[in-house]
Amino acid sequence: MKITKAFLPLGLTLAVVVSVTLSAMIWTNPAQYERNRQRSSNTPTTELNTRPQKDVYLPTQVLYTNDLGNQELLNNRKVNLTTEIRESLAKWDLGRVQKLQVSSQAAYMRYLRMNSSILMSYAAPINVKMFNEVFGSRLNRNNAEISRIMIPLNDSKHLYLLNDKNQEVYQVTVRDRNVKELRKILKENLFRINVKMQWLNQEAVPYVTSSVTVPSYSYLVNQQSTDYFTTRLLNKGESTNVSAKKNKDNTIYSDGASRQLTVYNKRGTALYEDYSALQSTFTFSQALTASYSAVKSIGIPMENLRYYGYNDAKSTVTYRSFVEGFPIFNQSNYGAARIQMLSQGVRRYNFSLYSLQVPVPTDRKAVSLPSTQNVMNRLAAAGYNKSKISTVQLGYQWVTSTSSDKVVNLTPTWYVYYNGGWKTYTQLLKQQQ
């Protein structure tokens, strides 16, 4: 008892000293405390938001052609339609791949309009190696590029891999095939838009044949802290000293050696540059895999992220967020993320600091949009050169709510890729007034 009484004051004294010391550390070095706190609070969330490569490289569009040749663009607002189809196809036994001779654009279009079929399309080509990764198959011709998967429902022996560029068609032999699951998926309560596949210059596009009403949405948005990104990209778990330089429009963080992060808070974007990468050149297949790893390393949420484009000349892979089956275009100037893998081992990652969290109730009405041909006619009447229009796409415009900076409104509209850039068709028409 005497020993206990003797040690009690000493223990209390030590506890007070430790408490004061820790408090002093926090007061004198709040940045370090904040960094540790952010690391512990943000990392688990990011791991939950990470999506496997096979999900990020799923097709972005599903089109159904019935027995009479009528075509519909499909979307399921309750579950991911492309995931459902992928799970069904993964059970098939895919065998030999044979390249078919296609004589013309008209002959190629017949595959895109084949009666009783499902056409799954990519926003930009992948290769057969990535197809194998996504669909769990073991096809040869790994380097062959494809942009569409055509599944005939009345042909039990084949499916087709298509590439709009040069109108290439690959016939895949199928064994142990069952289309009952696919037919069941087509009977679900789907959002359907009447379309017809047509050529727009060198691009095959699903022309919406009449006006269509598309719902608007509002979402809570999250802006990830700068400290979170500096920890992931500059510290990377190391005891690295990070310096910060504030400018008028941005803040530049650097590890003092080869890595730099520039944050544009007003625009809500960031640019990460790394000059220490070992690999300087990439094949197309390597670029697809390496860019996915880069996005994963950044730590941006990936639930709604999809592969959207590849520019060989600029060694750039683009990813966009999707909502209800349609892409979001102006989350930033380039989408959700753009990964550049340049020569001499230089890496540049452009990405948005903002991400969608959860939808919120809204009184915003659905938007009625004109048919594709109507849009093309209006642009032609306004003086735009059709030959400079690469493609048109239904998508969502990201606009910050006037009532709260924590809410973003997603408004459906037509986007036109004109003369090398995406703009809404209303923006183009206003420019000519």
Side-chain angles (χ1 to χ4, degrees):
M1 181 67 69
K2 291 181 179 179
I3 294 175
T4 302
K5 289 182 178 179
F7 278 100
L8 184 59
L10 179 61
L12 290 173
T13 301
L14 288 173
V16 171
V17 170
V18 170
S19 176
V20 171
T21 302
L22 290 175
S23 298
M25 290 174 64
I26 293 173
W27 295 332
T28 59
N29 194 359
Q32 182 66 36
Y33 169 74
E34 178 67 14
R35 181 175 294 111
N36 292 335
R37 185 183 66 82
Q38 288 288 352
R39 183 182 297 127
S40 63
S41 64
N42 286 321
T43 301
T45 303
T46 302
E47 294 306 318
L48 289 175
N49 289 338
T50 298
R51 300 292 291 173
Q53 182 173 261
K54 66 178 184 178
D55 286 355
V56 175
Y57 282 95
L58 274 168
T60 58
Q61 197 175 78
V62 179
L63 189 149
Y64 169 61
T65 308
N66 67 15
D67 294 336
L68 300 176
N70 299 319
Q71 299 187 298
E72 296 174 319
L73 199 61
L74 304 180
N75 183 41
N76 193 326
R77 292 172 178 166
K78 294 183 178 180
V79 296
N80 191 308
L81 185 58
T82 51
T83 299
E84 281 195 309
I85 297 174
R86 189 259 306 278
E87 290 176 354
S88 181
L89 288 184
K91 300 173 185 177
W92 294 11
D93 185 4
L94 306 184
R96 189 167 66 97
V97 180
Q98 177 185 3
K99 187 174 182 179
L100 303 182
Q101 294 296 320
V102 179
S103 58
S104 64
Q105 283 191 339
Y108 181 82
M109 182 58 70
R110 283 196 284 272
Y111 286 95
L112 303 184
R113 295 177 180 174
M114 184 178 289
N115 289 4
S116 189
S117 68
I118 296 174
L119 182 68
M120 303 178 72
S121 300
Y122 281 93
I126 62 167
N127 57 17
V128 170
K129 184 176 182 180
M130 183 58 71
F131 172 88
N132 288 336
E133 167 72 21
V134 173
F135 290 91
S137 56
R138 296 188 299 273
L139 301 181
N140 54 14
R141 290 183 179 266
N142 275 344
N143 294 325
E145 294 186 18
I146 63 171
S147 52
R148 305 181 194 272
I149 305 159
M150 206 282 287
I151 310 163
L153 299 176
N154 291 335
D155 179 353
S156 61
K157 297 182 179 180
H158 304 106
L159 66 77
Y160 298 88
L161 305 179
L162 314 174
N163 189 18
D164 289 1
K165 185 180 179 180
N166 301 325
Q167 293 82 61
E168 295 173 327
V169 176
Y170 298 90
Q171 179 180 271
V172 182
T173 302
V174 180
R175 300 182 296 269
D176 191 22
R177 159 191 167 121
N178 187 339
V179 298
K180 288 183 179 179
E181 288 185 6
L182 293 179
R183 292 189 180 278
K184 184 178 179 181
I185 291 171
L186 295 175
K187 293 179 181 178
E188 294 175 355
N189 185 22
L190 302 174
F191 179 50
R192 302 170 185 268
I193 299 176
N194 294 326
V195 297
K196 184 177 182 180
M197 291 300 298
Q198 293 183 208
W199 287 108
L200 174 56
N201 297 319
Q202 298 301 311
E203 186 80 16
V205 174
Y207 268 53
V208 175
T209 56
S210 58
S211 61
V212 59
T213 301
V214 183
S216 300
Y217 294 98
S218 293
Y219 273 78
L220 285 176
V221 292
N222 176 59
Q223 181 180 10
Q224 193 61 271
S225 70
T226 299
D227 189 77
Y228 168 76
F229 291 118
T230 57
T231 299
R232 292 190 67 97
L233 297 172
L234 300 180
N235 283 337
K236 296 187 175 180
E238 307 162 2
S239 56
T240 305
N241 291 323
V242 177
S243 64
K245 179 183 178 181
K246 289 189 176 182
N247 301 307
K248 181 180 179 181
D249 299 321
N250 59 58
T251 303
I252 301 175
Y253 301 87
S254 173
D255 69 349
S258 59
R259 294 172 295 189
Q260 179 175 291
L261 178 68
T262 305
V263 177
Y264 304 89
N265 281 312
K266 189 174 182 179
R267 300 202 309 243
T269 63
L271 167 63
Y272 170 68
E273 297 172 287
D274 183 357
Y275 296 88
S276 65
L278 298 177
Q279 189 170 354
S280 60
T281 60
F282 288 83
T283 64
F284 178 47
S285 186
Q286 289 171 333
L288 295 180
T289 301
S291 62
Y292 164 79
S293 298
V295 170
K296 191 175 178 181
S297 72
I298 295 171
I300 61 176
M302 299 174 69
E303 305 100 313
N304 304 311
L305 200 69
R306 293 289 185 84
Y307 165 66
Y308 202 80
Y310 174 71
N311 186 318
D312 181 45
K314 297 182 179 179
S315 300
T316 301
V317 182
T318 302
Y319 299 86
R320 291 192 185 277
S321 299
F322 273 68
V323 167
E324 303 297 344
F326 297 111
I328 298 171
F329 279 89
N330 58 326
Q331 184 174 358
S332 67
N333 289 337
Y334 40 77
R338 182 178 65 193
I339 309 299
Q340 289 182 291
M341 294 160 289
L342 305 175
S343 60
Q344 300 177 341
V346 179
R347 303 286 178 269
R348 289 198 179 103
Y349 307 164
N350 294 83
F351 56 94
S352 175
L353 302 177
Y354 293 99
S355 60
L356 300 180
Q357 288 188 301
V358 293
V360 294
T362 178
D363 57 358
R364 299 174 65 243
K365 296 180 180 179
V367 176
S368 180
L369 298 174
S371 68
T372 307
Q373 190 58 58
N374 191 311
V375 170
M376 297 300 295
N377 292 343
R378 291 186 189 183
L379 292 173
Y384 287 98
N385 187 345
K386 182 180 178 181
S387 65
K388 293 184 179 181
I389 299 176
S390 299
T391 189
V392 291
Q393 167 76 63
L394 277 174
Y396 278 101
Q397 186 174 14
W398 173 298
V399 180
T400 303
S401 173
T402 55
S403 58
S404 172
D405 59 359
K406 300 296 183 183
V407 175
V408 65
N409 294 326
L410 300 179
T411 304
T413 187
W414 279 108
Y415 273 86
V416 182
Y417 195 78
Y418 182 80
N419 204 21
W422 287 105
K423 290 188 177 180
T424 69
Y425 83 107
T426 52
Q427 287 174 331
L428 290 172
L429 293 176
K430 286 179 181 179
Q431 289 178 3
Q432 296 296 87
Q433 291 179 356

